[in-house]
Amino acid sequence: FSADYLPWNQPRRELLRPEHHYRPVSTRFDSRTTHQDDYSVKSRVNTLSCKPLAVPKLCNIPLEDLTNYKMSYVAHPMEKRFVYEAEKFRPCEIPFESLTTHKESYRGLRGEPAKSLKPATRPCGLDMPFSNTTEFRDKYQAWPTPQMFSKVPVTYVPPEEKMDLLTTVQAHYTYPKGVPAQSFRPVLSVKKCGRFEGSTTTKDDYKQWPGMRPELVKPVPQLNIPTEPLDCLTTTRAHYVPHPPINTKSCKPPWAGPQGNIPVEGQTTYSISFTPKDMGRCLASYAEPPGYIFEETDALGHRIYRPVSQTGSPQSSCLSVGD
């Protein structure tokens, strides 16, 4: 690898970046914002609430508690509920036969023994013994195992006190009349018969035959392995021709840099067209608003005022102090 790889002796390319023309301002920054220069803190205006007091309205008229149900409901007498008498149990006079389908239909006839449907065994061709050698036994190499680190066990120190060997039930349960529960399960009747026949269908029909190891079915090799050593050449190493790198020319126009020492135009649409206006006082803060005449008080307690110039006109706009 070191013989084929050779470094290229090329000069270092210059960076394609604009020239640095920025020069910081020598004057000191005053660190004040436009909000701090133009916004002046104004004093708080204390307004007087003209909302009337919430007084509960008391009414001496009693509440009418009559409903359509009270006026139209007619009470009907309830009839006595009819109760059915239960019929008395009458036992059946016919005695019980104690017969079941099994007792009535089963006769206990002896049937024929079951026949085996297993196909007949085919004899093997050869009686060669089975080979005990395997690929694992032939090619396995026993590696030396390192010695296992064993920790010295801690010596057992027997306790000095004597163990009482009593459980919680033995120590606290002292019921003298305890008797083990008796089983109410009926005893199974075991029918004794003759000698047990241990022969089965498998023992009678299945006979062990000697096995023969079949030969491996291997494909016929069709690849001719070359005798010459491999040259270890890839397609890139054999056919690649190195070419010198081409430096592309940038078509980006040159940047002249930021223009310094040019004052910023401070005129905006807001500064040109803004007309300052005087801050007027809210009319609701006066005891009697100037330019308005008190007219009446409505049902909700609001004081209604009308302008002096439009007092005679019926369609004049009104002023409510509650608003």
Side-chain angles (χ1 to χ4, degrees):
F1 182 76
S2 60
D4 296 336
Y5 176 75
L6 298 176
W8 294 351
N9 297 325
Q10 293 184 356
R12 186 176 181 181
R13 297 174 60 182
E14 297 181 359
L15 299 177
L16 301 176
R17 61 182 181 182
E19 298 180 2
H20 186 68
H21 297 288
Y22 175 72
R23 297 292 182 273
V25 184
S26 59
T27 59
R28 186 178 180 182
F29 187 65
D30 55 354
S31 68
R32 289 187 62 83
T33 60
T34 310
H35 182 78
Q36 294 177 354
D37 296 338
D38 298 342
Y39 178 74
S40 58
V41 181
K42 300 178 177 59
S43 60
R44 182 179 179 183
V45 179
N46 297 327
T47 58
L48 180 63
S49 177
C50 300
K51 185 176 181 180
L53 300 177
V55 180
K57 296 181 180 180
L58 302 177
C59 184
N60 298 327
I61 302 174
L63 181 65
E64 184 180 358
D65 57 348
L66 293 178
T67 59
N68 296 335
Y69 181 79
K70 292 182 177 180
M71 293 186 296
S72 303
Y73 178 73
V74 178
H76 297 279
M78 293 290 294
E79 298 179 358
K80 187 177 181 181
R81 186 175 179 181
F82 179 75
V83 180
Y84 291 92
E85 295 181 358
E87 297 181 359
K88 297 181 179 181
F89 174 74
R90 292 181 299 175
C92 184
E93 299 177 357
I94 303 174
F96 189 66
E97 298 179 357
S98 69
L99 291 178
T100 60
T101 307
H102 182 77
K103 291 182 179 180
E104 186 177 359
S105 304
Y106 181 69
R107 299 181 181 179
L109 301 179
R110 177 172 294 183
E112 298 180 358
K115 297 181 181 180
S116 175
L117 300 178
K118 188 175 181 181
T121 57
R122 292 179 297 177
C124 299
L126 299 177
D127 296 337
M128 296 176 61
F130 187 75
S131 179
N132 295 329
T133 60
T134 59
E135 185 180 0
F136 181 78
R137 294 182 179 180
D138 296 342
K139 299 183 179 181
Y140 176 72
Q141 298 178 4
W143 297 92
T145 56
Q147 185 179 2
M148 299 297 294
F149 174 75
S150 59
K151 186 178 180 182
V152 180
V154 182
T155 56
Y156 173 72
V157 180
E160 298 178 357
E161 300 178 358
K162 187 178 180 180
M163 188 173 182
D164 54 357
L165 300 175
L166 290 177
T167 61
T168 308
V169 178
Q170 295 176 357
H172 300 284
Y173 183 73
T174 57
Y175 187 68
K177 298 181 181 181
V179 179
Q182 297 180 1
S183 176
F184 291 93
R185 186 175 181 180
V187 180
L188 298 177
S189 58
V190 181
K191 296 181 180 180
K192 298 183 179 180
C193 57
R195 184 179 179 183
F196 180 73
E197 185 179 358
S199 61
T200 59
T201 309
T202 306
K203 289 183 179 181
D204 296 341
D205 299 338
Y206 178 73
K207 305 295 181 181
Q208 186 176 5
W209 57 83
M212 181 185 64
R213 184 177 183 182
E215 297 182 358
L216 298 177
V217 181
K218 297 182 179 180
V220 180
Q222 300 178 359
L223 179 63
N224 298 327
I225 301 177
T227 57
E228 299 178 358
L230 187 66
D231 54 358
C232 299
L233 285 178
T234 61
T235 308
T236 304
R237 293 183 180 180
H239 301 282
Y240 176 71
V241 180
H243 297 280
I246 301 174
N247 297 330
T248 57
K249 183 179 180 181
S250 177
C251 298
K252 187 177 181 181
W255 184 52
Q259 299 179 2
N261 301 329
I262 298 177
V264 181
E265 185 179 358
Q267 295 182 357
T268 59
T269 307
Y270 179 78
S271 60
I272 296 174
S273 59
F274 176 72
T275 303
K277 299 179 181 179
D278 297 336
M279 294 291 293
R281 185 178 176 183
C282 181
L283 297 176
S285 61
Y286 294 94
E288 294 293 336
Y292 291 88
I293 299 175
F294 174 74
E295 187 177 19
E296 60 179 353
T297 303
D298 59 357
L300 300 177
H302 296 167
R303 299 167 61 87
I304 306 301
Y305 291 85
R306 294 190 180 277
V308 179
S309 60
Q310 299 180 3
T311 304
S313 60
Q315 300 180 355
S316 61
S317 60
C318 61
L319 172 66
S320 177
V321 179
D323 299 338

